[in-house]
């Protein structure tokens, strides 16, 4: 089906306006199809002309325009409507297919109890898989939705739902909505409801998650209430969509989706085992992020997909700000630096990098590709620079003005910038040109004599002004902190010259700007002894992102990263830094950047560091100590080679108390045993028997694929290629386990076969989900020249969709970085 082009959207919006949408869905027709009836009331500015309505049915039963039955009007997912009147009513009746790829109306069965659940994910262009519509973000209309469902189900949606008869639900008429955030969620949900400031609240998840849902609901509701109050204060507009439900749904591709009044989240956010503070903070941030969209994205929606970044940059920024400012989590910006900016800097290094704003989206689907670390992490960082540039008061005044001026309608970048410029009393054109319309990160370097230099990437020239600070630390004491506004190629930071030789000097210590920071050699040399004593967690984060960025750029020996981890990591306090740094070192630095002969020993050192953190946890008390114990065990489970100890852990012995009976942790241990080829089939089967949940089923797939035997790899490959029951989540788990093999000979035969497999999966999985699988299936794990040749062949294929191609291109780039690093450092 062709994706709607921007030109088509422009001419359609110039011709028609939608007054009302009535949608009636019958979800009680078994597991494969549902009934869909739509009535669209719309006007036409030039009667007599024609237009198209989007619909992708399994079977179309009838189309009536202004009472006239139309025949044979469905072509390529569009109903062709000729001879429009000034006022029109279109009635469409169809049978639709459920999605199993996380798009449209996704339906899945919970293996724990056999219950089915349905949720609507209409982003980005899947609305026509559910009902007939003008599927573009600027044709908004109020929705009245009715649903028939099995009698033991409950139904949720954008408008408050009322059961009017057994199995029959009516949803309150909504404020004007764009098609992409309409949803219906139906199934035998477990629910916790509450109310705050006149807004009915609900938290819902699968029935088999009821116990953890009830335990965690109060925390989530408290976060929800605080965010609601905070946004009311910041935006000066009351929450505009009636009720506010948060539904944790199975097999969700993204993290969450901001459907007005009915936000959907991936249900791994309902923690069934122990959760570390960074996981809870991430969930709080996601709650805050989606709620920010109620104003920015939902109340005011981008006119076309090329401004999608503005939604995401804004919500990302607001979420971290709200966590720090209202949720009592000042460490939120630490997490932003080590999790989000690390992701964003990787996207900026990749060949697919692009400007934050202004990347053309000639059709709807092409916008999805730019939905990445640039749109979220860099965009939010650029908003922080904007605030540093114009001041917070002007920023908030501009935001309020923009929201008020476009409420229930649409806006675009130029209008947002105009509101900002009016509030700031300044032309923001040059600033936006450099920061928003040009890709690339400047390189910032500070000499020990105090000269800070900016080097702009040749391929993305721009004059970016930076507002930042420079700090230095000496023996655990902050020895210097200076604010700098860098408007040209260089600036002097006078205090640096007088610092003692062993001091750590950290440019951008407050992490306010977006730049590649190159640490000076004296600072790098001092990290092993000095990093753990740096009292500022944000500065420690900047050191880690600089070090890891330097490793990717071929400037820092990966061995230095392992050395610093061994000394500084066990003394780190922040849970996000502990988690993320360990994940990157065990997942990327050791298995990719270090030569194979050194990998086993390096993993042992990581496991020892985990032991050191575990000891520190046992010597302390309180929530922080509990978090260290938890993280130490998880990191140990990824790095240990001590099979006897791993088996004891798998059996639940010798564990910190919070991990007793934790199924997710046991799967982590089993995966490590599988990778070491030390897992008996009987042990794996017993684990599956003991954990029959959806999460358990998925984890078992990953464990099976991670066994380093030819039989296991053959099984994994044919499961991916041929198992029609494999969900997108299942495919991702298998793909992530596939390349795990200490002996590369086991997986080498598959290096040249990845493209054929991806091409085969393409029609079944959908571009979004397949892109994630493609990232995992790229053969970069075999770091050898032959892999590079195979990777080039993959990129030359013409039968893969643009999103998949792009995922492969970025992995190809990582392989090149790794080869260059190995060439340079051995
Ligand atoms: Zn978002």
């Amino acid at each position: 089906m062709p994706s709607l082009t921007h030109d088509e959207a422009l001419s359609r919006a110039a011709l028609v306006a939608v007054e009302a949408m009535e949608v009636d869905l019958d979800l009680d027709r078994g597991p494969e199809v549902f009934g869909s009836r739509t009535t669209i009331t719309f006007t036409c500015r030039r009667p007599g002309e024609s237009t198209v309505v989007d619909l992708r049915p399994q079977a179309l039963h009838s189309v009536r325009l202004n009472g006239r039955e139309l025949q044979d009007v469905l072509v390529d997912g569009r109903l062709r409507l000729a001879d429009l009147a000034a006022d029109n009513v279109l009635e469409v009746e169809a049978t639709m297919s459920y999605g199993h790829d996380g798009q449209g109306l996704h339906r899945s069965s919970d293996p724990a109890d056999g219950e089915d659940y349905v949720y609507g994910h209409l982003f980005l262009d899947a609305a026509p898989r559910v009902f007939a519509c003008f599927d573009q973000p600027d044709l908004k209309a109020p929705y009245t939705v009715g649903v028939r469902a099995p009698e033991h189900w409950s139904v949720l949606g954008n408008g408050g739902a009322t059961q009017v008869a057994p199995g029959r639900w009516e949803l309150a008429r909504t404020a004007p909505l764009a098609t992409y955030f309409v949803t219906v969620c139906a199934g035998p949900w477990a629910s916790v409801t509450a109310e705050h400031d006149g807004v009915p609240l609900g938290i819902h998840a699968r029935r088999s998650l009821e116990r953890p849902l009830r335990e965690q609901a109060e925390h989530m509701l408290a976060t929800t209430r605080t965010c609601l109050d905070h946004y009311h204060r910041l935006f000066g507009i009351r929450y505009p969509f009636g009720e506010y439900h948060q539904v944790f749904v199975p097999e969700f591709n993204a993290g969450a989706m901001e459907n007005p009044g009915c936000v959907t989240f991936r249900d791994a956010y309902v923690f069934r085992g122990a959760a570390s503070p960074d996981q809870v903070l991430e969930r709080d941030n996601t709650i805050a992020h989606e709620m920010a969209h109620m104003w920015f994205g939902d109340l005011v929606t981008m006119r076309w997909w090329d401004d999608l970044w503005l939604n995401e940059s804004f919500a990302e920024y607001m979420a971290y700000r709200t966590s720090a400012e209202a949720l009592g989590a000042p460490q939120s910006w630490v997490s932003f630096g080590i999790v989000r900016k690390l992701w964003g800097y990787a996207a900026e290094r990749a060949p697919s990098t692009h400007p934050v704003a202004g990347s053309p989206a000639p059709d709807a689907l092409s916008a999805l590709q730019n939905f990445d670390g640039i749109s979220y992490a860099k965009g939010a960082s650029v908003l922080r620079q904007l605030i540093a540039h114009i001041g917070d008061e002007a920023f908030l005044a501009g935001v309020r003005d923009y929201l008020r001026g476009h409420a229930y309608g649409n806006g675009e970048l130029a209008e947002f910038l105009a509101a900002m410029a009016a509030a700031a009393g300044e032309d923001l054109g040059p600033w936006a040109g450099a920061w928003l319309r040009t890709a690339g990160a400047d390189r910032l370097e500070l000499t020990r004599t105090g000269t800070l230099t900016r080097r702009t990437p040749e391929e993305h020239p721009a004059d970016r002004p930076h507002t930042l600070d420079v700090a230095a630390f000496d023996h655990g004491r902050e020895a210097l902190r200076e604010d700098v506004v860098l408007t040209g190629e260089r600036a002097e930071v006078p205090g640096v010259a007088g610092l003692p030789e062993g001091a750590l000097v950290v440019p951008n210590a407050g992490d306010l700007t977006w730049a590649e920071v190159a640490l000076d050699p004296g600072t790098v040399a001092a990290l092993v002894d000095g990093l753990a004593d740096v009292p500022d967690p944000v500065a420690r984060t900047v050191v880690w992102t600089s070090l890891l960025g330097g490793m990717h750029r071929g400037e820092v020996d990966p061995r230095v990263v392992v050395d610093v981890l061994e000394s500084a990591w066990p003394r780190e306090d922040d849970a996000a830094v502990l988690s993320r740094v360990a994940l990157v070192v065990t997942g990327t630095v050791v298995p990719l950047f270090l030569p194979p002969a050194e990998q086993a020993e390096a993993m042992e050192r990581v496991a020892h560091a985990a032991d050191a953190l575990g000891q520190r946890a046992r010597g302390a008390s309180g929530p922080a100590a509990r978090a260290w114990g938890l993280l130490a065990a998880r990191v140990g489970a990824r790095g240990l080679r001590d099979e006897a100890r791993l088996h004891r852990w798998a059996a639940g012995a010798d564990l910190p108390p919070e991990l007793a009976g934790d199924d997710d942790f046991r799967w982590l241990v089993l995966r490590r045993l599988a990778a070491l080829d030390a897992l008996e089939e009987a042990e794996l089967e017993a684990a599956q028997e003991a954990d029959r949940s959806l999460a358990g089923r998925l984890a078992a797939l990953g464990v099976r694929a991670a066994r380093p035997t030819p039989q296991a790899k053959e099984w994994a490959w044919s499961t991916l290629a041929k198992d029609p029951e494999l969900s997108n989540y299942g495919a991702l788990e298998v793909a992530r386990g596939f390349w795990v093999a200490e002996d590369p000979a086991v997986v080498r035969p598959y290096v040249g076969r990845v493209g054929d497999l991806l091409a085969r999966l393409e029609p079944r999985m959908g571009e979004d989900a397949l892109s994630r699988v493609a990232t995992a299936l790229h053969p970069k794990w075999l770091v050898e020249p032959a892999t590079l040749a195979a990777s080039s062949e993959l990129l030359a294929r013409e039968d893969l969709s643009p999103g998949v191609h792009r995922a492969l291109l970025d992995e190809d780039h990582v392989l090149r970085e790794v080869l260059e690093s190995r060439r340079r450092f051995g």
Side-chain angles (χ1 to χ4, degrees):
M1 303 283 168
S3 178
L4 187 76
T5 67
H6 191 185
D7 288 341
E8 288 168 335
L10 285 170
S11 57
R12 194 159 67 174
L15 185 67
V16 304
V18 189
E19 309 223 298
M21 293 286 294
E22 280 172 58
V23 177
D24 203 87
L25 302 175
D26 181 0
L27 308 183
D28 199 15
R29 294 192 189 171
E32 297 306 326
V33 296
F34 61 96
S36 167
R37 277 208 324 253
T38 317
T39 305
I40 309 179
T41 308
F42 66 100
T43 58
C44 171
R45 290 186 187 89
R46 296 188 297 276
E49 292 207 7
S50 52
T51 190
V52 292
V53 160
D54 305 291
L55 181 70
R56 283 176 268 162
Q58 192 239 28
L60 178 61
H61 305 307
S62 76
V63 182
R64 292 165 72 83
L65 178 63
N66 301 328
R68 235 172 342 113
E69 190 82 27
L70 306 182
Q71 301 294 335
D72 301 322
V73 289
L74 179 67
V75 181
D76 266 352
R78 291 175 186 174
L79 301 172
R80 295 173 183 275
L81 308 181
D83 197 16
L84 298 173
D87 295 293
N88 301 274
V89 176
L90 177 73
E91 296 158 281
V92 179
E93 196 169 342
T95 296
M96 316 294 283
S97 298
Y98 285 111
H100 300 288
D101 58 353
Q103 304 263 318
L105 214 49
H106 179 93
R107 181 164 179 142
S108 63
S109 193
D110 186 344
D113 56 13
E115 293 287 359
D116 278 16
Y117 294 86
V118 166
Y119 66 82
H121 186 67
L122 275 44
F123 179 85
L124 180 143
D125 66 347
R129 287 171 60 171
V130 183
F131 50 82
C133 57
F134 295 102
D135 191 21
Q136 61 187 73
D138 58 344
L139 287 175
K140 288 177 152 185
Y143 278 69
T144 309
V145 176
V147 178
R148 200 170 83 86
E151 288 187 12
H152 73 295
W153 285 17
S154 51
V155 173
L156 301 157
N158 306 92
T162 309
Q163 188 173 16
V164 294
R168 177 71 202 168
W169 297 75
E170 285 176 5
L171 277 58
R173 182 183 159 99
T174 66
L177 304 181
T179 45
Y180 78 88
F181 47 58
V182 173
T183 193
V184 163
C185 300
W189 304 112
S191 300
V192 176
T193 56
E195 199 190 273
H196 181 66
D197 190 13
V199 180
L201 306 174
I203 309 241
H204 316 266
R206 279 181 284 144
R207 194 181 268 176
S208 63
L209 291 172
E210 177 158 13
R211 189 185 54 77
L213 180 82
R214 290 199 180 282
E215 286 166 5
Q216 294 159 43
E218 209 30 66
H219 178 95
M220 293 192 264
L221 285 168
T223 301
T224 305
R225 292 183 184 105
T226 305
C227 290
L228 203 54
D229 291 345
H230 191 63
Y231 291 145
H232 281 156
R233 276 195 300 274
L234 283 185
F235 302 147
I237 299 174
R238 267 193 70 80
Y239 169 68
F241 295 108
E243 303 187 6
Y244 195 72
H245 294 275
Q246 298 176 89
V247 195
F248 293 81
V249 300
E251 300 181 342
F252 195 72
N253 285 331
M257 175 66 206
E258 65 267 23
N259 313 299
C262 190
V263 177
T264 41
F265 296 79
R266 59 167 53 213
D267 64 10
Y269 278 131
V270 178
F271 307 121
R272 60 183 199 138
S276 53
D278 56 307
Q279 289 175 289
V280 178
L281 177 64
E282 187 195 324
R283 184 176 65 191
D284 284 344
N285 264 324
T286 308
I287 290 172
H289 176 113
E290 302 310 324
M291 197 190 283
H293 277 312
M294 295 300 129
W295 286 264
F296 213 100
D298 294 356
L299 178 65
V300 179
T301 306
M302 79 236 129
R303 195 157 284 129
W304 180 245
W305 297 111
D306 52 357
D307 276 327
L308 190 57
W309 70 274
L310 187 56
N311 276 5
E312 294 313 335
S313 305
F314 186 87
E316 171 108 344
Y317 166 73
M318 273 301 156
Y320 284 91
R321 173 177 178 153
T322 299
S323 285
E325 176 170 282
L327 292 172
Q331 74 277 22
S332 154
W333 290 115
V334 176
S335 166
F336 179 68
I338 199 66
V339 179
R340 308 300 280 187
K341 288 182 87 169
L342 204 58
W343 174 46
Y345 287 135
E348 188 84 285
R349 284 192 304 271
S352 63
T353 192
H354 54 90
V356 172
S359 298
D363 61 44
L365 263 189
S366 62
L368 194 58
Q369 286 188 53
N370 285 338
F371 208 43
D372 57 7
I374 298 295
S375 299
Y376 287 80
K378 182 177 180 182
S381 303
V382 170
L383 286 179
R384 293 182 84 189
Q385 278 295 302
L386 175 66
I387 294 163
H389 185 72
I390 65 173
D392 197 45
E393 225 167 280
F395 172 74
L396 288 177
V399 167
R400 286 187 198 124
D401 187 40
Y402 175 74
L403 290 175
R404 266 197 307 270
H406 302 270
Y408 300 107
N410 298 80
E412 55 193 43
L413 173 63
E415 292 159 337
F416 177 76
L417 284 177
M420 288 295 147
E426 177 189 336
D427 172 20
L428 291 171
W431 183 94
W435 274 112
L436 292 172
R437 297 188 192 280
T438 314
D442 293 333
R443 179 192 169 83
L444 300 183
E445 206 165 350
L446 178 60
T447 64
R448 296 298 284 231
T449 52
T451 304
L452 180 68
T453 54
R454 178 189 79 178
R455 211 175 71 207
T456 298
E458 277 167 26
E459 59 278 25
H460 306 294
D463 183 10
R464 279 175 281 260
H466 294 264
T467 305
L468 72 157
D469 61 356
V470 170
F473 305 92
D474 184 33
H475 292 93
R477 190 180 57 84
E478 187 169 299
L480 172 82
R481 176 81 66 167
E482 274 186 41
D483 292 330
V484 183
V485 179
L486 182 64
T487 51
E489 296 308 309
R490 66 187 62 230
E492 293 305 318
V493 189
V496 173
L499 290 167
E501 206 177 312
L504 277 65
V505 185
V506 187
N508 195 30
D511 206 15
L512 198 54
T513 197
W514 178 263
E516 286 178 354
V517 169
L519 299 171
D520 72 90
T523 294
V524 173
L527 291 176
V528 167
D529 290 330
L531 179 59
D533 295 325
V534 169
D536 173 4
V538 173
R540 295 198 299 274
T541 298
V542 171
V543 167
W544 276 115
T545 52
S546 307
L547 206 56
L548 291 165
M551 180 191 75
H552 277 274
R553 294 192 303 271
E555 296 162 8
V556 172
D557 188 334
R559 295 173 188 88
V560 172
V561 178
V562 178
D563 291 345
V564 177
L565 174 118
E566 194 176 25
S567 69
W569 183 88
R571 294 166 60 203
E572 174 60 51
D573 290 334
D574 184 88
V577 176
L578 284 167
S579 268
R580 185 57 50 157
V581 167
L583 202 62
V584 172
V585 171
T586 56
T588 303
V589 179
V590 174
L592 278 177
F593 281 84
L594 282 186
E598 298 175 31
Q599 291 178 4
E601 195 225 328
M603 278 304 235
E604 288 277 284
R605 289 167 66 197
V606 173
H608 280 144
D611 274 343
L613 180 66
Q615 261 165 29
R616 185 174 162 221
R618 285 190 291 280
S621 59
R626 280 201 296 281
W628 299 335
L630 186 59
L631 293 164
R634 284 183 186 159
V635 175
R638 276 195 231 112
L640 270 183
R641 295 191 80 82
D642 180 346
E643 291 173 18
R645 192 160 158 209
L646 287 165
H647 279 291
R648 283 200 303 280
W649 280 2
D654 294 352
L655 286 172
E658 43 292 333
L659 284 172
D662 189 310
D663 287 319
D664 294 328
F665 182 74
R666 190 176 55 212
W667 286 113
L668 193 64
V669 175
L670 293 177
R671 188 182 157 106
R672 179 65 179 157
L673 282 167
L676 296 169
D677 202 14
L679 182 65
E680 299 293 335
E681 178 63 27
E683 200 173 357
L684 177 50
E685 278 172 18
Q688 276 183 275
E689 194 56 40
D691 178 9
R692 303 176 71 90
S693 68
L694 183 60
R697 178 186 281 195
L698 291 168
L701 286 169
V703 169
R704 275 188 192 282
R707 293 164 128 183
T709 63
Q711 296 81 351
K713 301 308 176 191
E714 203 180 300
W715 168 85
W717 201 262
S718 71
T719 298
L720 278 171
K722 293 180 194 145
D723 184 352
E725 301 286 295
L726 193 68
S727 69
N728 288 354
Y729 270 36
L732 191 56
E733 287 297 326
V734 173
R736 284 181 176 157
F738 183 78
W739 296 105
V740 174
E742 289 194 357
D743 176 7
V746 175
V747 284
R748 200 173 277 126
Y750 296 91
V751 168
R753 295 170 58 191
V754 173
D756 286 344
L757 178 58
L758 291 173
R760 185 174 179 150
L761 291 174
E762 182 95 52
R764 192 175 87 204
M765 291 194 65
E767 188 171 346
D768 188 15
L770 188 62
S771 304
R772 292 163 221 257
V773 168
T775 297
L777 267 191
H778 186 276
K780 66 173 190 276
W781 303 99
L782 271 84
V783 183
E784 46 198 35
T787 308
L788 198 55
S791 181
S792 301
E793 277 173 34
L794 268 178
L795 297 181
R797 291 184 73 118
E798 284 173 359
D799 55 352
L800 300 173
S801 58
V804 172
H805 176 85
R806 179 179 156 148
L808 295 169
L809 180 67
D810 288 351
E811 296 312 301
D812 177 87
H813 178 71
V814 173
L815 176 61
R816 285 167 198 276
E817 288 177 339
V818 171
L819 285 165
E820 177 59 20
S821 170
R822 290 224 194 147
R823 192 188 63 75
R824 196 165 294 182
F825 299 107

